Amino acid sequence: MPDTKGAHEGPDSLDQAFPGHQLSLSSRAVHADDYMNSSQAVAPPMHVSTTFRYDRDPEKLKQWENIDPTAPYDSHIYSRDSAPNTTRFEALLTSVLGGASLTYTSGLAAFHALLVQLNPKRIAIGPGYHGCHGVVELMKRLTGLEVVDLDQLPGKSPEKLAATGLTKGDLFHVETPINPTGEARDLATFIKIAKTLGCYVSVDATFGPPPLQDPVGMGADVAMHSGTKYLGGHSDMLCGVLTIHPERAKEGWVEKFKKDRLLLGSVMGSLEGWLGVRSMRTLELRVLRQSESATKLVEWLASSLGDKASLVSKFVARVHHASLQTEAKKTWLSQQMPGGFGPVFSIVMEEEKQARYLPSKLSLFHHATSLGGVESLIEWRALTDSTTDKRLLRISIGVEAWEDLKEDLLKGFAALAGEKMELEIRPA
Ligand SMILES: *Cc1c(COP(=O)(O)O)cnc(C)c1O
């Protein structure tokens, strides 16, 4: 009987059906879970059961093993351990993210699980998503975890690196691309430094989902995603993912993380697992479109900044995005993000008030936090992140036509200009 304790442990019959042929990401995202299907339904059924009957044959009863003879690849015991919809979602993630993948209630729950399992004494982390820093603070309280500034490490001599105290078993947590700017960090350099010190590397790859980059393929021990963003893609599910490098999987990491998750209890609900499978089918279509549109809009905004007569240059002081990291693009960045740049970028307005007002002038962009969905979002970032510039607007590009989004932004700038004129002509 097959071992069915986790999706990643079962045979991937899709690969067996195409010996010697590497299926594309889009084909995997549509079919990697086919082998688990226990019915003739093309779309997966929704299961709500928290518990699963044991075998009626007393001789077959075994601790933590419960193989359903009618669904050998879809067998479960209790849904805090595994459940059909989330396991099927994990089979897709495993195939697409390049390593055994486990899901959690949210991105932060995944990051928490990572810190609980690795329990580093020190973490090298730089500016980025503020919630991860919140989890680090929480761990500081529990374990005395020390924080080292990640971005100060490149270029340091071996003596200076040693002086940071970073050593075997500590963790480099590299967020790239970075929230909220969408700019990228040089991952290969951080992996190299971490390896010389014996540290582990985790990558928060939320802003660069497949097919944009492959942190595990580059040698990261763990890739983390807030699946709430691109993997879910429709602003309707919370989800976190940890993907384990195949070498670490050989050392038993997947089982360790799964055992911890059973105790932390931070498993996704079945509805979210079901939505996750639905979402993965179109991951590549969505992300490539969003990435291309974002890059075109950034190019337009950045070139307009140089034109003093343009409406954009009246209000926008700076644009941030990986596609504008010109020097890096000539070297490490094109290798790191061969599939395109992330669909999130930021603009810094001339004045705080303009950042407060622009979102309300737009029709296609929702003024809301989060990112990664099919709907374009803009957020005056100061509303949820006290650490960012108060003039900054974070923009997440959805699947709408980029020309329409450009038009909407232009209309927004024109409305700001109109308002400004009104203020100017108003009698004192
Ligand atoms: C949203 C986000 C998270 C947190 O994910 P949740 O699913 O909201 O818990 C972590 N990192 C980055 C970069 C994010 O954008």
Side-chain angles (χ1 to χ4, degrees):
M1 272 295 182
D3 178 0
T4 59
K5 280 197 177 159
H8 40 277
E9 290 161 1
D12 187 343
S13 59
L14 193 59
D15 280 335
Q16 284 164 12
F18 292 89
H21 177 81
Q22 172 75 20
L23 283 174
S24 70
L25 185 139
S26 47
S27 302
R28 289 167 170 278
V30 178
H31 292 290
D33 58 322
D34 284 351
Y35 75 100
M36 308 175 77
N37 199 352
S38 54
S39 81
Q40 289 183 312
V42 170
M46 170 74 200
H47 291 268
V48 292
S49 195
T50 53
T51 187
F52 300 82
R53 273 200 305 276
Y54 292 126
D55 205 299
R56 281 189 67 80
D57 179 352
E59 287 306 316
K60 287 198 176 147
L61 298 176
K62 273 198 197 161
Q63 195 177 37
W64 280 113
E65 190 179 299
N66 187 33
I67 293 171
D68 180 345
T70 67
Y73 297 111
D74 192 16
S75 299
H76 309 275
I77 298 169
Y78 184 55
S79 66
R80 184 155 39 76
D81 180 48
S82 72
N85 296 99
T86 48
T87 304
R88 206 159 155 170
F89 181 35
E90 286 172 349
L92 289 170
L93 294 167
T94 294
S95 186
V96 160
L97 293 168
S101 299
L102 293 174
T103 54
Y104 296 84
T105 35
S106 67
L108 288 189
F111 185 55
H112 177 235
L114 173 74
L115 294 183
V116 168
Q117 172 52 228
L118 298 184
N119 195 19
K121 291 201 165 48
R122 290 164 207 86
I123 183 168
I125 187 170
Y129 183 69
H130 59 103
C132 292
H133 288 268
V135 176
V136 167
E137 286 300 314
L138 194 148
M139 295 304 288
K140 264 189 190 169
R141 209 167 70 203
L142 297 176
T143 70
L145 177 66
E146 287 171 28
V147 178
V148 175
D149 185 356
L150 181 78
D151 295 324
Q152 296 304 314
L153 301 177
K156 269 202 196 318
S157 64
E159 297 72 34
K160 289 216 163 124
L161 278 179
T164 62
L166 284 164
T167 182
K168 202 168 168 357
D170 289 338
L171 179 66
F172 278 45
H173 183 70
V174 186
E175 180 176 314
T176 186
I178 309 167
N179 175 67
T181 60
E183 288 165 347
R185 286 191 167 94
D186 179 357
L187 182 55
T189 294
F190 286 114
I191 291 177
K192 209 165 137 194
I193 303 170
K195 297 293 159 190
T196 63
L197 294 169
C199 299
Y200 298 123
V201 178
S202 57
V203 176
D204 185 337
T206 302
F207 274 48
L212 306 182
Q213 57 178 11
D214 178 12
V216 166
M218 285 182 69
D221 299 294
V222 180
M224 172 201 141
H225 284 268
S226 165
T228 312
K229 315 295 168 55
Y230 294 97
L231 305 177
H234 297 72
S235 314
D236 56 8
M237 56 180 275
L238 277 178
C239 163
V241 180
L242 294 181
T243 299
I244 311 293
H245 190 284
E247 290 302 316
R248 301 289 88 74
K250 281 187 204 156
E251 295 161 14
W253 281 34
V254 182
E255 293 73 21
K256 284 187 198 168
F257 277 90
K258 242 197 122 181
K259 211 169 152 191
D260 277 6
R261 188 183 64 178
L262 177 64
L263 298 171
L264 291 166
S266 46
V267 285
M268 287 173 83
S270 291
L271 173 62
E272 284 73 16
W274 186 91
L275 286 168
V277 171
R278 180 282 321 259
S279 297
M280 289 299 284
R281 306 299 191 214
T282 57
L283 177 72
E284 191 183 51
L285 284 173
R286 287 185 282 111
V287 170
L288 286 179
R289 164 103 173 187
Q290 289 167 287
S291 162
E292 260 177 50
S293 297
T295 305
K296 282 182 182 150
L297 286 164
V298 166
E299 199 183 336
W300 161 62
L301 288 167
S303 67
S304 305
L305 285 191
D307 172 8
K308 288 297 160 230
S310 76
L311 206 46
V312 175
S313 67
K314 279 196 181 32
F315 297 104
V316 180
R318 289 195 306 280
V319 185
H320 294 283
H321 189 234
S323 66
L324 300 176
Q325 289 173 268
T326 324
E327 282 310 304
K329 269 176 23 185
K330 290 182 201 149
T331 53
W332 55 268
L333 185 51
S334 333
Q335 283 163 30
Q336 183 171 309
M337 303 197 77
F341 304 109
V344 174
F345 61 90
S346 283
I347 56 178
V348 179
M349 306 294 280
E350 292 286 353
E351 293 165 26
E352 179 182 333
K353 193 170 174 208
Q354 297 162 350
R356 175 190 278 271
Y357 275 64
L358 181 65
S360 66
K361 309 292 178 206
L362 303 175
S363 311
L364 297 178
F365 290 86
H366 294 292
H367 187 198
T369 195
S370 197
L371 56 115
V374 292
E375 317 84 358
S376 291
L377 304 181
I378 187 164
E379 183 185 19
W380 181 32
R381 195 59 187 151
L383 286 175
T384 51
D385 182 354
S386 58
T387 64
T388 45
D389 189 327
K390 298 223 172 347
R391 295 168 303 162
L392 186 141
L393 289 163
R394 188 180 72 181
I395 298 177
S396 166
I397 298 303
V399 301
E400 305 94 333
W402 79 275
E403 296 90 340
D404 296 340
L405 298 173
K406 176 181 166 185
E407 195 58 29
D408 200 25
L409 286 169
L410 270 174
K411 261 179 32 199
F413 291 130
L416 281 187
E419 200 154 272
K420 204 173 171 190
M421 268 164 41
E422 247 173 54
L423 291 176
E424 279 166 2
I425 57 173
R426 197 176 290 160

